[in-house]
């Protein structure tokens, strides 16, 4: 049985207090992206991952999360988070207000992603599927919103899942019983380097 585990990275070490405007929000996103992680993975996640091959987005917090489990980490930009442009809010607001604005925008448009990001999710799902031909179990460290897109694409490829929450370090396990080779074609670019 092949398995792909999609894991949301650990909590970012970057702390934001006070209110920020739209430009401040962009600066916060840059600092959040560049920061490492704040916490350690739970023991239950260590047990779930076991000896799975480690794969990560190219964001520092995802790479650092994967490295907490030892061994080589395959790093790919395919697994990075969506761009997530800030909503059109005027004035200065707390991060909680910005999060609510994202939620409202999602309800209005039913999506956070662009067509190019959806295509990247398809390529990521195909690439992870291809990796299971070499490694029976894959632990892929990715991000909150993008993980949902990849999960949808894995299901479309015939994987069944057990979703386990949305918090940092949460893991969604996808399994496939068929042992035939993964479908050829439409495989996105592989990792850009090993960490």
């Amino acid at each position: 049985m092949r398995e792909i585990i999609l894991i949301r990275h650990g909590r970012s070490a970057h702390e934001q207090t006070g209110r920020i405007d739209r430009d401040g929000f962009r600066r916060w996103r840059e600092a959040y992206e560049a920061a490492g992680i704040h916490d350690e993975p739970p023991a239950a996640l260590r047990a779930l991952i076991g000896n799975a091959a480690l794969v990560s987005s190219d964001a520092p917090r995802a790479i650092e999360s994967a490295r907490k489990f030892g061994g080589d980490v395959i790093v790919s930009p395919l697994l990075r988070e969506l761009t997530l442009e800030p909503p059109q809010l005027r004035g200065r607001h707390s991060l909680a207000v910005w999060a609510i604005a994202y939620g409202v925008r999602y309800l209005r448009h039913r999506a956070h992603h662009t067509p190019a990001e959806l295509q990247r999710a398809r390529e990521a799902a195909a690439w992870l599927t291809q990796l299971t031909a070499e490694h029976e179990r894959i632990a892929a460290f990715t991000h909150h919103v993008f993980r949902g897109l990849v999960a949808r694409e894995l299901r479309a490829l015939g994987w069944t899942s057990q979703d386990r929450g949305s918090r940092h370090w949460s893991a969604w396990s996808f399994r496939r019983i068929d042992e035939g080779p993964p479908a050829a074609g439409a495989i996105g670019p592989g990792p850009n380097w090993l960490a």
Side-chain angles (χ1 to χ4, degrees):
M1 179 183 296
R2 292 183 282 156
E3 183 176 24
I4 297 170
I5 307 166
L6 297 181
I7 302 147
R8 186 178 179 194
H9 58 79
R11 188 160 58 94
S12 173
H14 180 69
E15 299 287 340
Q16 173 65 46
T17 58
R19 297 170 184 263
I20 51 177
D21 60 13
R22 204 158 186 263
D23 286 337
F25 185 87
R26 286 193 180 99
R27 288 190 299 273
W28 168 76
R29 283 284 302 173
E30 289 170 4
Y32 181 87
E33 291 290 342
I37 59 168
H38 180 268
D39 52 0
E40 293 294 318
L45 181 59
R46 288 190 182 280
L48 176 66
I49 288 175
N51 63 351
L54 303 173
V55 177
S56 172
S57 114
D58 58 354
R61 66 190 184 281
I63 295 169
E64 186 178 338
S65 296
R67 285 183 175 154
K68 295 279 186 184
F69 294 84
D72 292 334
V73 179
I74 302 169
V75 177
S76 174
L78 281 176
L79 298 174
R80 73 172 49 139
E81 182 61 288
L82 304 182
T83 303
L84 296 173
E85 277 296 309
Q88 296 288 338
L89 287 181
R90 294 180 181 166
R92 300 169 67 84
H93 307 282
S94 68
L95 283 180
V97 171
W98 285 103
I100 291 167
Y102 269 114
V104 169
R105 185 170 71 182
Y106 176 81
L107 290 174
R108 288 180 64 207
H109 302 288
R110 288 291 177 206
H112 286 303
H113 61 272
T114 65
E117 289 171 326
L118 180 58
Q119 178 59 31
R120 181 163 57 87
R122 287 187 183 117
E123 291 173 1
W127 177 62
L128 290 170
T129 297
Q130 185 69 41
L131 281 179
T132 64
E134 183 178 347
H135 308 280
E136 191 171 287
R137 298 181 69 244
I138 304 288
F141 292 80
T142 186
H143 306 270
H144 180 58
V145 181
F146 190 67
R147 178 172 63 167
L149 288 182
V150 175
R152 186 172 76 182
E153 297 305 321
L154 284 172
R155 289 184 191 105
L157 291 174
W159 293 85
T160 59
S161 69
Q162 297 175 347
D163 295 354
R164 299 181 184 177
S166 61
R167 295 179 181 246
H168 294 102
W169 298 119
S170 59
W172 299 353
S173 178
F174 293 78
R175 292 186 176 165
R176 199 151 136 179
I177 296 173
D178 66 271
E179 293 300 327
I187 302 297
N192 59 344
W193 49 279
L194 294 176

